[in-house]
Amino acid sequence: AWGSLEAGRQVGNTTKTWITGDNPRPEHAAMDGETVPVDQPFSNGSMWPGDGQDGEYGCNCSIEITVA
Protein backbone atom coordinates (compact mmCIF):
# COMPACT_ATOMS: atom_id res chain seq x y z
CA ALA A 1 0.00 0.00 0.00
CA TRP A 2 2.89 2.38 0.70
CA GLY A 3 4.01 2.27 -2.95
CA SER A 4 0.53 3.15 -4.20
CA LEU A 5 0.32 5.95 -1.67
CA GLU A 6 3.69 7.37 -2.73
CA ALA A 7 2.74 7.24 -6.40
CA GLY A 8 -0.44 9.14 -5.58
CA ARG A 9 1.55 11.81 -3.75
CA GLN A 10 3.83 12.29 -6.73
CA VAL A 11 0.95 12.65 -9.16
CA GLY A 12 -0.85 15.17 -6.93
CA ASN A 13 -4.55 15.97 -6.44
CA THR A 14 -5.36 12.42 -5.35
CA THR A 15 -7.52 10.70 -2.76
CA LYS A 16 -7.36 7.26 -1.20
CA THR A 17 -10.24 4.98 -0.26
CA TRP A 18 -10.17 2.21 2.35
CA ILE A 19 -11.32 -1.13 0.90
CA THR A 20 -11.97 -3.93 3.37
CA GLY A 21 -10.67 -7.42 2.68
CA ASP A 22 -12.23 -10.79 3.47
CA ASN A 23 -13.39 -11.26 7.06
CA PRO A 24 -12.48 -7.72 8.21
CA ARG A 25 -12.28 -6.57 11.79
CA PRO A 26 -15.50 -4.74 12.78
CA GLU A 27 -13.68 -1.39 12.99
CA HIS A 28 -12.23 -1.90 9.49
CA ALA A 29 -15.61 -2.95 8.06
CA ALA A 30 -17.01 0.34 9.35
CA MET A 31 -14.32 2.19 7.38
CA ASP A 32 -15.07 0.47 4.05
CA GLY A 33 -15.33 3.18 1.40
CA GLU A 34 -13.89 5.94 3.60
CA THR A 35 -12.11 8.44 1.33
CA VAL A 36 -9.53 11.00 2.44
CA PRO A 37 -6.83 13.11 0.74
CA VAL A 38 -3.78 10.97 -0.06
CA ASP A 39 -1.58 12.81 2.47
CA GLN A 40 -4.07 12.57 5.37
CA PRO A 41 -4.68 9.63 7.75
CA PHE A 42 -7.88 7.61 7.80
CA SER A 43 -10.22 7.93 10.79
CA ASN A 44 -8.29 5.22 12.68
CA GLY A 45 -5.02 7.19 12.37
CA SER A 46 -3.52 4.89 9.73
CA MET A 47 -2.04 6.18 6.50
CA TRP A 48 -2.70 2.78 4.85
CA PRO A 49 -3.98 -0.63 5.95
CA GLY A 50 -1.34 -2.48 7.90
CA ASP A 51 0.81 0.50 8.90
CA GLY A 52 0.36 -0.51 12.54
CA GLN A 53 -1.35 2.60 13.89
CA ASP A 54 -4.31 0.70 15.33
CA GLY A 55 -2.75 -2.71 15.89
CA GLU A 56 -3.92 -3.94 12.51
CA TYR A 57 -1.10 -6.38 11.80
CA GLY A 58 -2.36 -9.14 9.55
CA CYS A 59 -4.99 -6.87 8.03
CA ASN A 60 -5.93 -7.79 4.45
CA CYS A 61 -7.62 -4.50 3.59
CA SER A 62 -6.29 -2.34 0.76
CA ILE A 63 -6.51 1.19 -0.58
CA GLU A 64 -7.68 2.54 -3.89
CA ILE A 65 -5.97 5.65 -5.24
CA THR A 66 -8.06 8.08 -7.30
CA VAL A 67 -6.53 10.87 -9.38
CA ALA A 68 -8.87 13.84 -9.83
Side-chain angles (χ1 to χ4, degrees):
W2 179 86
S4 296
L5 187 65
E6 184 59 27
R9 282 189 185 124
Q10 291 181 21
V11 171
N13 198 24
T14 57
T15 59
K16 58 186 176 184
T17 302
W18 190 284
I19 309 296
T20 58
D22 295 333
N23 195 26
R25 295 178 176 102
E27 59 272 17
H28 289 190
M31 294 172 56
D32 189 39
E34 181 179 325
T35 300
V36 297
V38 74
D39 60 347
Q40 298 296 311
F42 287 101
S43 61
N44 68 349
S46 297
M47 292 301 287
W48 61 84
D51 82 349
Q53 295 300 311
D54 74 347
E56 64 203 21
Y57 298 106
C59 169
N60 64 356
C61 297
S62 62
I63 57 171
E64 178 179 278
I65 302 292
T66 303
V67 178

mmCIF file of all heavy atoms in Angstrom, residues 20-58:
data_model
loop_
_atom_site.group_PDB
_atom_site.id
_atom_site.type_symbol
_atom_site.label_atom_id
_atom_site.label_comp_id
_atom_site.label_asym_id
_atom_site.label_seq_id
_atom_site.Cartn_x
_atom_site.Cartn_y
_atom_site.Cartn_z
ATOM 1 N N THR A 20 -12.151 -2.822 2.443
ATOM 2 C CA THR A 20 -11.973 -3.933 3.368
ATOM 3 C C THR A 20 -11.718 -5.232 2.613
ATOM 4 O O THR A 20 -12.194 -5.431 1.500
ATOM 5 C CB THR A 20 -13.194 -4.131 4.288
ATOM 6 O OG1 THR A 20 -14.350 -4.349 3.485
ATOM 7 C CG2 THR A 20 -13.407 -2.941 5.175
ATOM 8 N N GLY A 21 -10.948 -6.110 3.236
ATOM 9 C CA GLY A 21 -10.671 -7.423 2.677
ATOM 10 C C GLY A 21 -11.678 -8.438 3.192
ATOM 11 O O GLY A 21 -12.709 -8.087 3.772
ATOM 12 N N ASP A 22 -11.373 -9.707 2.976
ATOM 13 C CA ASP A 22 -12.227 -10.786 3.471
ATOM 14 C C ASP A 22 -12.168 -10.851 4.991
ATOM 15 O O ASP A 22 -11.108 -10.669 5.578
ATOM 16 C CB ASP A 22 -11.759 -12.132 2.910
ATOM 17 C CG ASP A 22 -11.911 -12.207 1.395
ATOM 18 O OD1 ASP A 22 -12.796 -11.518 0.852
ATOM 19 O OD2 ASP A 22 -11.144 -12.956 0.771
ATOM 20 N N ASN A 23 -13.302 -11.087 5.616
ATOM 21 C CA ASN A 23 -13.390 -11.256 7.063
ATOM 22 C C ASN A 23 -12.711 -10.107 7.821
ATOM 23 O O ASN A 23 -11.834 -10.330 8.648
ATOM 24 C CB ASN A 23 -12.793 -12.608 7.475
ATOM 25 C CG ASN A 23 -13.165 -12.994 8.883
ATOM 26 O OD1 ASN A 23 -14.201 -12.572 9.397
ATOM 27 N ND2 ASN A 23 -12.323 -13.771 9.530
ATOM 28 N N PRO A 24 -13.133 -8.860 7.565
ATOM 29 C CA PRO A 24 -12.477 -7.720 8.210
ATOM 30 C C PRO A 24 -12.834 -7.596 9.687
ATOM 31 O O PRO A 24 -13.873 -8.085 10.131
ATOM 32 C CB PRO A 24 -13.024 -6.525 7.446
ATOM 33 C CG PRO A 24 -14.382 -6.961 7.016
ATOM 34 C CD PRO A 24 -14.235 -8.436 6.712
ATOM 35 N N ARG A 25 -11.959 -6.928 10.407
ATOM 36 C CA ARG A 25 -12.275 -6.571 11.794
ATOM 37 C C ARG A 25 -13.478 -5.617 11.749
ATOM 38 O O ARG A 25 -13.626 -4.857 10.797
ATOM 39 C CB ARG A 25 -11.089 -5.852 12.422
ATOM 40 C CG ARG A 25 -9.870 -6.725 12.557
ATOM 41 C CD ARG A 25 -8.716 -5.911 13.149
ATOM 42 N NE ARG A 25 -7.572 -6.770 13.355
ATOM 43 C CZ ARG A 25 -6.521 -6.810 12.547
ATOM 44 N NH1 ARG A 25 -6.463 -6.033 11.504
ATOM 45 N NH2 ARG A 25 -5.523 -7.633 12.797
ATOM 46 N N PRO A 26 -14.318 -5.614 12.787
ATOM 47 C CA PRO A 26 -15.496 -4.739 12.776
ATOM 48 C C PRO A 26 -15.140 -3.264 12.542
ATOM 49 O O PRO A 26 -15.828 -2.567 11.793
ATOM 50 C CB PRO A 26 -16.120 -4.945 14.156
ATOM 51 C CG PRO A 26 -15.681 -6.316 14.556
ATOM 52 C CD PRO A 26 -14.305 -6.481 13.975
ATOM 53 N N GLU A 27 -14.047 -2.802 13.168
ATOM 54 C CA GLU A 27 -13.681 -1.391 12.988
ATOM 55 C C GLU A 27 -13.209 -1.100 11.565
ATOM 56 O O GLU A 27 -13.390 0.003 11.055
ATOM 57 C CB GLU A 27 -12.626 -0.948 14.010
ATOM 58 C CG GLU A 27 -11.334 -1.724 13.976
ATOM 59 C CD GLU A 27 -11.314 -2.978 14.835
ATOM 60 O OE1 GLU A 27 -12.379 -3.481 15.243
ATOM 61 O OE2 GLU A 27 -10.198 -3.474 15.097
ATOM 62 N N HIS A 28 -12.647 -2.087 10.884
ATOM 63 C CA HIS A 28 -12.235 -1.897 9.493
ATOM 64 C C HIS A 28 -13.441 -1.981 8.559
ATOM 65 O O HIS A 28 -13.518 -1.247 7.579
ATOM 66 C CB HIS A 28 -11.170 -2.911 9.091
ATOM 67 C CG HIS A 28 -9.848 -2.657 9.744
ATOM 68 N ND1 HIS A 28 -8.707 -3.315 9.377
ATOM 69 C CD2 HIS A 28 -9.484 -1.816 10.737
ATOM 70 C CE1 HIS A 28 -7.695 -2.899 10.116
ATOM 71 N NE2 HIS A 28 -8.156 -1.986 10.960
ATOM 72 N N ALA A 29 -14.383 -2.859 8.865
ATOM 73 C CA ALA A 29 -15.608 -2.950 8.064
ATOM 74 C C ALA A 29 -16.358 -1.628 8.085
ATOM 75 O O ALA A 29 -16.910 -1.200 7.069
ATOM 76 C CB ALA A 29 -16.493 -4.081 8.584
ATOM 77 N N ALA A 30 -16.338 -0.960 9.225
ATOM 78 C CA ALA A 30 -17.014 0.336 9.350
ATOM 79 C C ALA A 30 -16.336 1.413 8.501
ATOM 80 O O ALA A 30 -16.961 2.406 8.141
ATOM 81 C CB ALA A 30 -17.050 0.773 10.804
ATOM 82 N N MET A 31 -15.070 1.213 8.174
ATOM 83 C CA MET A 31 -14.317 2.189 7.378
ATOM 84 C C MET A 31 -14.412 1.929 5.881
ATOM 85 O O MET A 31 -13.931 2.733 5.081
ATOM 86 C CB MET A 31 -12.833 2.159 7.779
ATOM 87 C CG MET A 31 -12.567 2.632 9.172
ATOM 88 S SD MET A 31 -10.859 2.362 9.661
ATOM 89 C CE MET A 31 -9.954 3.197 8.389
ATOM 90 N N ASP A 32 -15.003 0.820 5.463
ATOM 91 C CA ASP A 32 -15.068 0.470 4.048
ATOM 92 C C ASP A 32 -15.647 1.622 3.238
ATOM 93 O O ASP A 32 -16.718 2.126 3.537
ATOM 94 C CB ASP A 32 -15.916 -0.786 3.846
ATOM 95 C CG ASP A 32 -15.828 -1.321 2.433
ATOM 96 O OD1 ASP A 32 -14.725 -1.296 1.848
ATOM 97 O OD2 ASP A 32 -16.861 -1.771 1.913
ATOM 98 N N GLY A 33 -14.895 2.078 2.254
ATOM 99 C CA GLY A 33 -15.330 3.180 1.404
ATOM 100 C C GLY A 33 -14.947 4.559 1.907
ATOM 101 O O GLY A 33 -15.208 5.555 1.233
ATOM 102 N N GLU A 34 -14.314 4.642 3.072
ATOM 103 C CA GLU A 34 -13.891 5.944 3.601
ATOM 104 C C GLU A 34 -12.819 6.537 2.680
ATOM 105 O O GLU A 34 -11.841 5.889 2.362
ATOM 106 C CB GLU A 34 -13.333 5.781 5.012
ATOM 107 C CG GLU A 34 -12.901 7.087 5.633
ATOM 108 C CD GLU A 34 -12.364 6.900 7.045
ATOM 109 O OE1 GLU A 34 -12.867 6.025 7.783
ATOM 110 O OE2 GLU A 34 -11.435 7.624 7.404
ATOM 111 N N THR A 35 -13.027 7.770 2.255
ATOM 112 C CA THR A 35 -12.115 8.439 1.332
ATOM 113 C C THR A 35 -11.546 9.695 1.975
ATOM 114 O O THR A 35 -12.294 10.484 2.552
ATOM 115 C CB THR A 35 -12.844 8.806 0.020
ATOM 116 O OG1 THR A 35 -13.338 7.592 -0.567
ATOM 117 C CG2 THR A 35 -11.927 9.508 -0.964
ATOM 118 N N VAL A 36 -10.231 9.847 1.885
ATOM 119 C CA VAL A 36 -9.528 11.001 2.444
ATOM 120 C C VAL A 36 -8.462 11.451 1.450
ATOM 121 O O VAL A 36 -8.061 10.685 0.568
ATOM 122 C CB VAL A 36 -8.876 10.672 3.814
ATOM 123 C CG1 VAL A 36 -9.922 10.300 4.849
ATOM 124 C CG2 VAL A 36 -7.837 9.584 3.693
ATOM 125 N N PRO A 37 -7.959 12.694 1.570
ATOM 126 C CA PRO A 37 -6.833 13.110 0.737
ATOM 127 C C PRO A 37 -5.644 12.171 0.951
ATOM 128 O O PRO A 37 -5.443 11.640 2.052
ATOM 129 C CB PRO A 37 -6.507 14.517 1.234
ATOM 130 C CG PRO A 37 -7.792 15.009 1.820
ATOM 131 C CD PRO A 37 -8.424 13.787 2.441
ATOM 132 N N VAL A 38 -4.857 11.960 -0.085
ATOM 133 C CA VAL A 38 -3.783 10.970 -0.057
ATOM 134 C C VAL A 38 -2.749 11.240 1.042
ATOM 135 O O VAL A 38 -2.142 10.309 1.564
ATOM 136 C CB VAL A 38 -3.118 10.847 -1.449
ATOM 137 C CG1 VAL A 38 -2.232 12.032 -1.745
ATOM 138 C CG2 VAL A 38 -2.360 9.552 -1.591
ATOM 139 N N ASP A 39 -2.588 12.493 1.454
ATOM 140 C CA ASP A 39 -1.582 12.814 2.470
ATOM 141 C C ASP A 39 -2.157 12.932 3.880
ATOM 142 O O ASP A 39 -1.468 13.348 4.797
ATOM 143 C CB ASP A 39 -0.844 14.102 2.095
ATOM 144 C CG ASP A 39 -1.767 15.296 1.979
ATOM 145 O OD1 ASP A 39 -3.005 15.122 1.937
ATOM 146 O OD2 ASP A 39 -1.253 16.422 1.921
ATOM 147 N N GLN A 40 -3.422 12.509 4.064
ATOM 148 C CA GLN A 40 -4.073 12.566 5.370
ATOM 149 C C GLN A 40 -4.348 11.150 5.885
ATOM 150 O O GLN A 40 -4.552 10.227 5.098
ATOM 151 C CB GLN A 40 -5.405 13.319 5.276
ATOM 152 C CG GLN A 40 -5.258 14.765 4.853
ATOM 153 C CD GLN A 40 -4.491 15.565 5.884
ATOM 154 O OE1 GLN A 40 -4.781 15.508 7.070
ATOM 155 N NE2 GLN A 40 -3.490 16.301 5.421
ATOM 156 N N PRO A 41 -4.373 10.958 7.210
ATOM 157 C CA PRO A 41 -4.682 9.632 7.750
ATOM 158 C C PRO A 41 -6.182 9.325 7.663
ATOM 159 O O PRO A 41 -7.010 10.230 7.581
ATOM 160 C CB PRO A 41 -4.236 9.729 9.210
ATOM 161 C CG PRO A 41 -4.361 11.173 9.545
ATOM 162 C CD PRO A 41 -4.042 11.915 8.271
ATOM 163 N N PHE A 42 -6.481 8.034 7.701
ATOM 164 C CA PHE A 42 -7.876 7.613 7.795
ATOM 165 C C PHE A 42 -8.356 7.865 9.224
ATOM 166 O O PHE A 42 -7.578 8.233 10.104
ATOM 167 C CB PHE A 42 -7.995 6.117 7.443
ATOM 168 C CG PHE A 42 -7.826 5.842 5.979
ATOM 169 C CD1 PHE A 42 -6.628 5.368 5.484
ATOM 170 C CD2 PHE A 42 -8.869 6.050 5.085
ATOM 171 C CE1 PHE A 42 -6.451 5.107 4.130
ATOM 172 C CE2 PHE A 42 -8.710 5.801 3.727
ATOM 173 C CZ PHE A 42 -7.504 5.322 3.252
ATOM 174 N N SER A 43 -9.641 7.635 9.483
ATOM 175 C CA SER A 43 -10.223 7.934 10.793
ATOM 176 C C SER A 43 -9.595 7.126 11.927
ATOM 177 O O SER A 43 -9.672 7.543 13.085
ATOM 178 C CB SER A 43 -11.735 7.706 10.766
ATOM 179 O OG SER A 43 -12.035 6.355 10.466
ATOM 180 N N ASN A 44 -8.942 6.015 11.626
ATOM 181 C CA ASN A 44 -8.291 5.222 12.676
ATOM 182 C C ASN A 44 -6.839 5.641 12.906
ATOM 183 O O ASN A 44 -6.133 5.025 13.686
ATOM 184 C CB ASN A 44 -8.364 3.725 12.353
ATOM 185 C CG ASN A 44 -7.535 3.338 11.144
ATOM 186 O OD1 ASN A 44 -7.049 4.173 10.392
ATOM 187 N ND2 ASN A 44 -7.396 2.038 10.941
ATOM 188 N N GLY A 45 -6.385 6.685 12.208
ATOM 189 C CA GLY A 45 -5.025 7.185 12.369
ATOM 190 C C GLY A 45 -4.022 6.565 11.421
ATOM 191 O O GLY A 45 -2.867 6.982 11.380
ATOM 192 N N SER A 46 -4.424 5.574 10.647
ATOM 193 C CA SER A 46 -3.522 4.889 9.727
ATOM 194 C C SER A 46 -3.428 5.626 8.393
ATOM 195 O O SER A 46 -4.418 6.143 7.888
ATOM 196 C CB SER A 46 -4.013 3.470 9.448
ATOM 197 O OG SER A 46 -4.023 2.711 10.623
ATOM 198 N N MET A 47 -2.235 5.617 7.833
ATOM 199 C CA MET A 47 -2.045 6.180 6.500
ATOM 200 C C MET A 47 -2.433 5.162 5.430
ATOM 201 O O MET A 47 -2.817 5.523 4.337
ATOM 202 C CB MET A 47 -0.604 6.625 6.295
ATOM 203 C CG MET A 47 -0.213 7.823 7.144
ATOM 204 S SD MET A 47 -1.224 9.303 6.834
ATOM 205 C CE MET A 47 -0.607 9.801 5.228
ATOM 206 N N TRP A 48 -2.306 3.871 5.746
ATOM 207 C CA TRP A 48 -2.703 2.781 4.847
ATOM 208 C C TRP A 48 -2.975 1.557 5.703
ATOM 209 O O TRP A 48 -2.508 1.465 6.837
ATOM 210 C CB TRP A 48 -1.621 2.491 3.798
ATOM 211 C CG TRP A 48 -0.309 2.070 4.369
ATOM 212 C CD1 TRP A 48 0.063 0.801 4.758
ATOM 213 C CD2 TRP A 48 0.812 2.900 4.647
ATOM 214 N NE1 TRP A 48 1.333 0.801 5.257
ATOM 215 C CE2 TRP A 48 1.828 2.096 5.194
ATOM 216 C CE3 TRP A 48 1.095 4.259 4.488
ATOM 217 C CZ2 TRP A 48 3.065 2.587 5.578
ATOM 218 C CZ3 TRP A 48 2.316 4.733 4.873
ATOM 219 C CH2 TRP A 48 3.289 3.914 5.404
ATOM 220 N N PRO A 49 -3.733 0.594 5.189
ATOM 221 C CA PRO A 49 -3.979 -0.630 5.948
ATOM 222 C C PRO A 49 -2.668 -1.342 6.264
ATOM 223 O O PRO A 49 -1.794 -1.482 5.416
ATOM 224 C CB PRO A 49 -4.827 -1.481 4.995
ATOM 225 C CG PRO A 49 -5.490 -0.481 4.110
ATOM 226 C CD PRO A 49 -4.472 0.611 3.928
ATOM 227 N N GLY A 50 -2.516 -1.743 7.492
ATOM 228 C CA GLY A 50 -1.340 -2.483 7.904
ATOM 229 C C GLY A 50 -0.169 -1.638 8.344
ATOM 230 O O GLY A 50 0.904 -2.158 8.590
ATOM 231 N N ASP A 51 -0.341 -0.311 8.477
ATOM 232 C CA ASP A 51 0.806 0.500 8.904
ATOM 233 C C ASP A 51 1.017 0.444 10.413
ATOM 234 O O ASP A 51 1.973 1.000 10.925
ATOM 235 C CB ASP A 51 0.725 1.936 8.391
ATOM 236 C CG ASP A 51 -0.155 2.864 9.205
ATOM 237 O OD1 ASP A 51 -0.905 2.397 10.074
ATOM 238 O OD2 ASP A 51 -0.097 4.077 8.968
ATOM 239 N N GLY A 52 0.139 -0.264 11.125
ATOM 240 C CA GLY A 52 0.360 -0.514 12.544
ATOM 241 C C GLY A 52 -0.187 0.529 13.492
ATOM 242 O O GLY A 52 -0.030 0.393 14.697
ATOM 243 N N GLN A 53 -0.858 1.548 13.006
ATOM 244 C CA GLN A 53 -1.354 2.598 13.887
ATOM 245 C C GLN A 53 -2.440 2.127 14.836
ATOM 246 O O GLN A 53 -2.560 2.646 15.922
ATOM 247 C CB GLN A 53 -1.882 3.784 13.061
ATOM 248 C CG GLN A 53 -0.808 4.488 12.271
ATOM 249 C CD GLN A 53 0.279 5.046 13.163
ATOM 250 O OE1 GLN A 53 0.006 5.709 14.156
ATOM 251 N NE2 GLN A 53 1.517 4.751 12.830
ATOM 252 N N ASP A 54 -3.254 1.165 14.425
ATOM 253 C CA ASP A 54 -4.307 0.701 15.327
ATOM 254 C C ASP A 54 -4.178 -0.792 15.617
ATOM 255 O O ASP A 54 -5.153 -1.471 15.874
ATOM 256 C CB ASP A 54 -5.697 1.050 14.792
ATOM 257 C CG ASP A 54 -6.144 0.190 13.620
ATOM 258 O OD1 ASP A 54 -5.311 -0.531 13.044
ATOM 259 O OD2 ASP A 54 -7.347 0.230 13.287
ATOM 260 N N GLY A 55 -2.969 -1.302 15.590
ATOM 261 C CA GLY A 55 -2.751 -2.712 15.887
ATOM 262 C C GLY A 55 -3.294 -3.636 14.823
ATOM 263 O O GLY A 55 -3.757 -4.728 15.112
ATOM 264 N N GLU A 56 -3.258 -3.208 13.588
ATOM 265 C CA GLU A 56 -3.917 -3.937 12.506
ATOM 266 C C GLU A 56 -3.008 -4.923 11.783
ATOM 267 O O GLU A 56 -3.229 -5.249 10.640
ATOM 268 C CB GLU A 56 -4.495 -2.942 11.504
ATOM 269 C CG GLU A 56 -3.423 -2.125 10.835
ATOM 270 C CD GLU A 56 -3.924 -0.808 10.296
ATOM 271 O OE1 GLU A 56 -4.955 -0.334 10.743
ATOM 272 O OE2 GLU A 56 -3.253 -0.278 9.427
ATOM 273 N N TYR A 57 -1.989 -5.405 12.435
ATOM 274 C CA TYR A 57 -1.103 -6.382 11.802
ATOM 275 C C TYR A 57 -1.915 -7.575 11.319
ATOM 276 O O TYR A 57 -2.808 -8.046 12.000
ATOM 277 C CB TYR A 57 -0.014 -6.826 12.779
ATOM 278 C CG TYR A 57 0.857 -5.675 13.207
ATOM 279 C CD1 TYR A 57 0.740 -5.127 14.468
ATOM 280 C CD2 TYR A 57 1.761 -5.111 12.313
ATOM 281 C CE1 TYR A 57 1.510 -4.049 14.852
ATOM 282 C CE2 TYR A 57 2.534 -4.027 12.689
ATOM 283 C CZ TYR A 57 2.410 -3.505 13.966
ATOM 284 O OH TYR A 57 3.172 -2.430 14.327
ATOM 285 N N GLY A 58 -1.619 -8.038 10.136
ATOM 286 C CA GLY A 58 -2.358 -9.140 9.551
ATOM 287 C C GLY A 58 -3.602 -8.701 8.808
ATOM 288 O O GLY A 58 -4.338 -9.526 8.280
#
